[in-house]
Amino acid sequence: NSIEKHAKAEGNAPQQIRCIIERGNAKNYIEEGAFTKCLEEMKQFQQQTKDDVARSVATYMIGKLYLKYYQDDAFAINRRTNLGNYVPEDIAEWTSRIFIDTIRAYTLEALSNEKLKTTLAIDYEAILEKGEDSRIYCPTLYDLFLYDLLENRYEVENITTAEEREKFLTECVAFHANDKERDAYVKANLKLWHFQYEGKKDRSPYISKLEALLKEVKNDRSSILVRTALCEELKRDVSLESLPENSNLPQRLKDICEEGIKAFPKHKKINSLKVILDKLTHPVVHVSVENEKVHSSDKLRLKIGYANKERVQLKLYRLDVDFTYDYHCYYKNNMKEIRKDKNFPEQSLSY
């Protein structure tokens, strides 16, 4: 109570909002109906505050409180009969559609405030769970709320339309376009393009955009994000060991990774490139049987793929039918003895 009184006296809106949330969380364990009281307190603060940004923050938090209530009892709520346009006064009688519509209304109202784009998220650190890189990639309240909506909110596709999500991300790119530090701008672009090209067969325009962005921020630390996204896209649905010998893709991927690691070796996300590079240089051999069911007179067709190996030696063992049971039972422990058996001839082929 003393903290809240002090916050009110100073007009410290972030601390006031935190006090409401913390009190609700504490009472929720010992008092029935604590959630609705917390919700009413937040609504009262939202209506009474003269701070426009604080009002939007409270509005967003109200949406999150409704979301938490819905998630905690989703199984029962989703089984309730649709009530059409009727909205009961008792939240315990609400259907899933009412919850989604309510969450959507509060979310869109909060994000409509342009001042969120110029308000640093750190100003509201009292109510935030700070991530390691949150100040770099989510510098404003708009960033924070937008990514929370896109990444963490349950049934985000019901809360907002695809057109609205694309609009939000496009706006995020636009207002970060002239940032001195390019991290938030790059992240917003990557999020937007990932959204736009998700599920599309022709992804060459996406690759072209990534290449252009890498050229733009090549000497900036944010280039590590672009390099990682570009590598992931270039090797998407590609089996490196099945590539033809004259393919330049492996070398291209290596160049992208090595250039980034050399330029920014201490970047917090540099391990993403190191993992990709390790997979590119690690020896890989893949053998599959094209015709698994064969008769004694049939030819066995094998498909062999390998990468980062100059030469592969393949040993084939012919297994007699009478020996099959022993082979399956004792393979792990007795393979050496099996190989000595004259009835178990081996053939060695090199590629």
Side-chain angles (χ1 to χ4, degrees):
N1 288 335
S2 60
I3 295 176
E4 188 170 17
K5 287 180 180 179
H6 192 63
K8 287 181 178 179
E10 291 186 339
N12 188 337
Q15 192 63 54
Q16 287 178 263
I17 294 173
R18 178 175 181 174
C19 287
I20 295 172
I21 295 173
E22 293 294 337
R23 181 163 54 249
N25 289 337
K27 288 185 177 181
N28 194 45
Y29 292 100
I30 58 176
E31 184 180 323
E32 187 176 351
F35 167 81
T36 54
K37 291 182 180 179
C38 177
L39 188 61
E40 290 306 315
E41 279 191 67
M42 191 67 76
K43 287 183 177 180
Q44 186 177 10
F45 174 84
Q46 178 216 31
Q47 294 166 2
Q48 294 178 351
T49 183
K50 296 179 181 179
D51 186 327
D52 194 29
V53 172
R55 185 181 302 107
S56 292
V57 173
T59 300
Y60 193 81
M61 291 301 171
I62 291 170
K64 291 199 66 155
L65 286 170
Y66 275 119
L67 178 65
K68 186 178 186 308
Y69 184 96
Y70 175 49
Q71 289 177 326
D72 288 348
D73 203 21
F75 180 77
I77 293 172
N78 290 335
R79 293 168 62 88
R80 293 173 187 167
T81 304
N82 186 10
L83 301 176
N85 295 325
Y86 173 65
V87 180
E89 291 186 9
D90 187 355
I91 193 175
E93 299 176 8
W94 282 17
T95 63
S96 60
R97 187 69 265 165
I98 297 174
F99 274 103
I100 294 298
D101 289 343
T102 303
I103 296 165
R104 170 181 165 79
Y106 279 105
T107 299
L108 295 184
E109 181 184 344
L111 288 173
S112 67
N113 187 352
E114 290 291 317
K115 292 182 179 179
L116 294 182
K117 297 176 182 178
T118 57
T119 303
L120 295 178
I122 195 64
D123 293 345
Y124 276 76
E125 64 177 342
I127 63 170
L128 304 179
E129 293 182 8
K130 292 179 287 185
E132 184 179 6
D133 302 317
S134 58
R135 296 188 187 185
I136 298 175
Y137 300 111
C138 297
T140 72
L141 286 177
Y142 187 88
D143 296 301
L144 196 72
F145 292 163
L146 176 58
Y147 293 136
D148 175 66
L149 170 67
L150 296 178
E151 297 173 5
N152 303 315
R153 288 222 165 179
Y154 181 66
E155 292 195 6
V156 63
E157 293 183 359
N158 290 327
I159 296 172
T160 57
T161 65
E163 291 76 14
E164 287 168 337
R165 294 193 291 278
E166 184 172 9
K167 174 178 173 290
F168 291 145
L169 286 169
T170 301
E171 291 178 354
C172 194
V173 171
F175 81 79
H176 281 307
N178 297 320
D179 287 359
K180 184 177 180 180
E181 295 184 349
R182 310 303 284 159
D183 305 276
Y185 170 72
V186 166
K187 179 176 180 178
N189 270 295
L190 296 179
K191 287 286 184 182
L192 175 61
W193 296 337
H194 178 77
F195 174 79
Q196 290 176 329
Y197 289 97
E198 186 175 11
K200 291 189 176 181
K201 292 183 179 179
D202 182 13
R203 300 176 69 85
S204 55
Y206 179 34
I207 293 176
S208 297
K209 289 183 177 182
L210 289 172
E211 290 172 335
L213 183 59
L214 178 57
K215 185 176 181 180
E216 179 184 345
V217 298
K218 186 175 182 179
N219 298 320
D220 187 84
R221 66 185 181 188
S222 61
S223 63
I224 297 301
L225 296 183
V226 188
R227 289 180 184 277
T228 302
L230 181 56
C231 285
E232 293 294 347
E233 188 58 31
L234 287 173
K235 65 187 186 72
R236 179 186 177 90
D237 299 327
V238 173
S239 177
L240 296 176
E241 62 267 23
S242 300
L243 290 173
E245 291 185 8
N246 61 348
S247 173
N248 64 355
L249 178 58
Q251 188 58 50
R252 186 183 179 190
L253 291 170
K254 289 178 185 177
D255 291 343
I256 294 172
C257 292
E258 289 174 348
E259 288 172 6
I261 294 170
K262 182 179 179 181
F264 301 98
K266 296 183 179 180
H267 193 283
K268 292 181 179 180
K269 296 186 180 295
I270 202 65
N271 283 340
S272 298
L273 290 182
K274 289 182 178 180
V275 169
I276 296 173
L277 184 60
D278 181 64
K279 290 181 179 179
L280 288 169
T281 56
H282 190 75
V284 177
V285 178
H286 175 73
V287 180
S288 61
V289 181
E290 292 187 355
N291 54 334
E292 294 184 1
K293 295 182 179 180
V294 294
H295 299 287
S296 57
S297 60
D298 292 341
K299 292 184 178 181
L300 184 66
R301 296 191 301 272
L302 301 178
K303 187 175 182 180
I304 305 171
Y306 59 94
N308 303 314
K309 295 283 290 184
E310 292 184 3
R311 184 171 176 269
V312 174
Q313 186 178 62
L314 178 65
K315 290 186 176 181
L316 301 178
Y317 300 92
R318 186 174 63 205
L319 185 65
D320 294 334
V321 175
D322 294 337
F323 208 62
T324 303
Y325 177 79
D326 292 335
Y327 172 74
H328 285 294
C329 290
Y330 303 109
Y331 173 81
K332 291 184 178 179
N333 297 326
N334 301 315
M335 194 60 200
K336 291 182 179 179
E337 296 299 322
I338 290 175
R339 287 172 177 167
K340 295 178 181 178
D341 195 318
K342 294 181 180 180
N343 295 321
F344 197 80
E346 78 173 47
Q347 296 178 5
S348 179
L349 303 173
S350 296
Y351 294 87

